[in-house]
Amino acid sequence: MKKLLLLINPSAGRMTGKHVVFDLVDRADFAGYSVEVKPTRDAENIKKYLIKNGKNFDLIICCGGDGTLNATVSGLMHLKEKPYLGYIPAGSTNDFAKTLNLPKDPVVSIYNILKGK
């Protein structure tokens, strides 16, 4: 079974509803992934966690703002073999997501990621 790590910054702008997390996990499970959810608010913890555990996942999805994405990419850069990375913009500004015209709806985002878009 494929393994997915869902990194979530629960204090990011639009991650206020617990139902969103359940919807994301449910979609990933339905797509055939074993899902691990790692809530985090600290960029350094994200980096350390990925350096230690990132190699164990086929797909890593970070859900948060630009800082969460930056910390995730920084951690992945230390891995010899890098898993696929998905991003669900949930911060208050989301400059990166706006630049790439990514959807604002987290469920649409995870659907796109799981379909390889």
Side-chain angles (χ1 to χ4, degrees):
M1 180 174 263
K2 299 177 284 184
K3 293 180 73 177
L4 183 150
L5 173 62
L6 183 59
L7 286 169
I8 295 182
N9 182 346
S11 60
R14 291 194 305 259
M15 286 307 299
T16 55
K18 293 179 184 177
H19 69 281
V20 172
V21 176
F22 177 80
D23 287 343
L24 299 177
V25 171
D26 185 51
R27 302 281 171 160
D29 179 68
F30 186 76
Y33 284 91
S34 170
V35 181
E36 178 179 325
V37 177
K38 175 83 173 134
T40 183
R41 291 179 180 86
D42 183 311
E44 196 58 33
N45 285 342
I46 293 171
K47 185 177 174 181
K48 288 178 184 176
Y49 186 82
L50 290 175
I51 290 170
K52 183 177 179 183
N53 302 295
K55 65 184 178 291
N56 300 324
F57 297 94
D58 301 294
L59 173 61
I60 295 174
I61 298 176
C62 74
C63 186
D66 294 329
T68 304
L69 176 62
N70 184 49
T72 302
V73 171
S74 294
L76 291 176
M77 294 307 295
H78 291 271
L79 301 180
K80 196 173 200 175
E81 292 186 33
K82 295 164 183 58
Y84 288 104
L85 172 63
Y87 175 53
I88 298 175
S92 54
T93 305
N94 297 314
D95 286 331
F96 184 80
K98 287 177 187 172
T99 300
L100 295 179
N101 203 23
L102 297 177
K104 294 178 182 179
D105 184 327
V107 175
V108 172
S109 293
I110 197 164
Y111 177 81
N112 288 342
I113 293 166
L114 296 171
K115 291 291 183 183
K117 293 184 179 180

